[in-house]
Amino acid sequence: MPYVEALLAGVLVGAAYTAVRVKSPAPPPAALCGLLGMLVGQALLAAL
């Protein structure tokens, strides 16, 4: 199940990148925000 969640998160992030027209690889500020989001998401899922 974690793989499915990771895949869905990747699709969501990819859609967000496309909507904001950010080229991949992301610039450092966007990459740091993405890493922070991953850590927050992981913490939220662990808390459930």
Side-chain angles (χ1 to χ4, degrees), residues 2-27:
Y3 293 108
V4 174
E5 293 169 357
L7 178 62
L8 293 175
V11 169
L12 181 63
V13 170
Y17 270 51
T18 301
V20 194
R21 296 185 180 157
V22 174
K23 294 180 184 175
S24 189

